[in-house]
Amino acid sequence: MNNKTTNVRYLAQLALLAAIEVVMKLMGLGSVPVGPLYMSFLTVPIAVGAMTMGPTAGAILGGVFGLVSMKDAITGVSAMTSVFFQISPINTFVLCVVMRVLMGWCVGLLFRVLRRVDHKKSWSYFVGAMSAPLLNTIFFMGYIVLVFYKTDYIQERVASLGVANPLSFVVALVGVQGLIEIIVGCAVGGVLARAVASFLGHRAPAKAE
């Protein structure tokens, strides 16, 4: 198959996964409000794209997720990020968009490493899928601690949670929500990525990176 056809296939797959992200968000399937945060399952299509199409696709899909989150911050849909936007629009953009781009890119890179040691091409899909919500939480909460931890808003949260340091704050705030994201992301993302990879394996592969 020539490069033109391969590129078209790659772009079509990327557009489809991006559309799935947007539809999930619009239908309320991708983000479930839990207190000041959202329990997000938008990392699933990002993981699928990163593992079956490569780190660049993961980064682009992460950017779609980030732009949706940024919109929530600007419009006030997300209580926490809307406060951050009032404090620093630039840092909020980095938090919502750049951290998600980095997450998608890292998932793709990690999966490349895992695939080399997973000779049966089985468990690597589930570990890769699990890494998406895990890295999303680490990057997102890590940047909050790095930039916004000393703000009045976060310090009020720290006091209400009765915690003494940034690590305990992250654990207390994310809690069960983060665990559910990881379990669902691992199960659903792993199954879908493996199925997509199997489907593509019998046809022309997506554009190589």
Side-chain angles (χ1 to χ4, degrees), residues 45-69:
I46 297 171
V48 172
M51 289 189 286
T52 60
M53 301 173 66
T56 299
I60 293 171
L61 293 168
V64 174
F65 178 15
L67 291 173
V68 169
S69 297

Side-chain angles (χ1 to χ4, degrees), residues 10 31 33-34 39 44 46 52 63 66-67 71 74 76 102 120 125 127 139 144 148 157 165 171 178 190 195 202 206:
Y10 178 89
S31 300
V34 180
M39 183 164 60
V44 171
I46 297 171
T52 60
L67 291 173
K71 181 188 77 67
I74 294 172
L102 181 62
K120 294 184 178 180
Y125 290 99
V127 176
F139 291 156
I144 287 177
F148 296 106
R157 291 284 172 184
N165 55 66
V171 173
H202 293 83

Side-chain angles (χ1 to χ4, degrees), residues 48-93:
V48 172
M51 289 189 286
T52 60
M53 301 173 66
T56 299
I60 293 171
L61 293 168
V64 174
F65 178 15
L67 291 173
V68 169
S69 297
M70 190 65 188
K71 181 188 77 67
D72 287 347
I74 294 172
T75 58
V77 173
S78 171
M80 178 175 283
T81 56
S82 64
V83 172
F84 293 158
F85 184 75
Q86 298 300 318
I87 297 171
S88 173
I90 294 176
N91 279 316
T92 304
F93 177 83

Side-chain angles (χ1 to χ4, degrees), residues 33-189:
V34 180
L37 296 175
Y38 276 82
M39 183 164 60
S40 178
F41 302 113
L42 294 178
T43 56
V44 171
I46 297 171
V48 172
M51 289 189 286
T52 60
M53 301 173 66
T56 299
I60 293 171
L61 293 168
V64 174
F65 178 15
L67 291 173
V68 169
S69 297
M70 190 65 188
K71 181 188 77 67
D72 287 347
I74 294 172
T75 58
V77 173
S78 171
M80 178 175 283
T81 56
S82 64
V83 172
F84 293 158
F85 184 75
Q86 298 300 318
I87 297 171
S88 173
I90 294 176
N91 279 316
T92 304
F93 177 83
V94 174
L95 174 68
C96 293
V97 180
V98 177
M99 291 298 102
R100 268 57 184 269
V101 170
L102 181 62
M103 176 268 293
W105 184 66
C106 286
V107 171
L109 290 180
L110 175 62
F111 180 71
R112 282 185 172 177
V113 175
L114 294 173
R115 188 172 54 183
R116 290 172 185 159
V117 296
D118 179 20
H119 302 296
K120 294 184 178 180
K121 302 294 184 290
S122 55
W123 57 265
S124 57
Y125 290 99
F126 294 93
V127 176
M130 180 178 66
S131 73
L134 181 60
L135 289 174
N136 182 55
T137 298
I138 291 173
F139 291 156
F140 188 81
M141 294 305 302
Y143 197 78
I144 287 177
V145 169
L146 181 65
V147 176
F148 296 106
Y149 187 74
K150 293 184 179 180
T151 63
D152 291 340
Y153 178 79
I154 293 298
Q155 287 305 305
E156 288 174 4
R157 291 284 172 184
V158 169
S160 66
L161 291 170
V163 295
N165 55 66
L167 179 59
S168 57
F169 162 70
V170 171
V171 173
L173 188 64
V174 175
V176 177
Q177 164 195 332
L179 183 60
I180 293 174
E181 285 183 4
I182 290 172
I183 293 172
V184 173
C186 176
V188 178

Side-chain angles (χ1 to χ4, degrees), residues 2-14 207:
N2 59 43
N3 288 336
K4 182 177 180 181
T5 302
T6 301
N7 290 341
V8 170
R9 184 184 293 278
Y10 178 89
L11 292 174
Q13 291 172 212
L14 190 61
K207 178 183 177 183

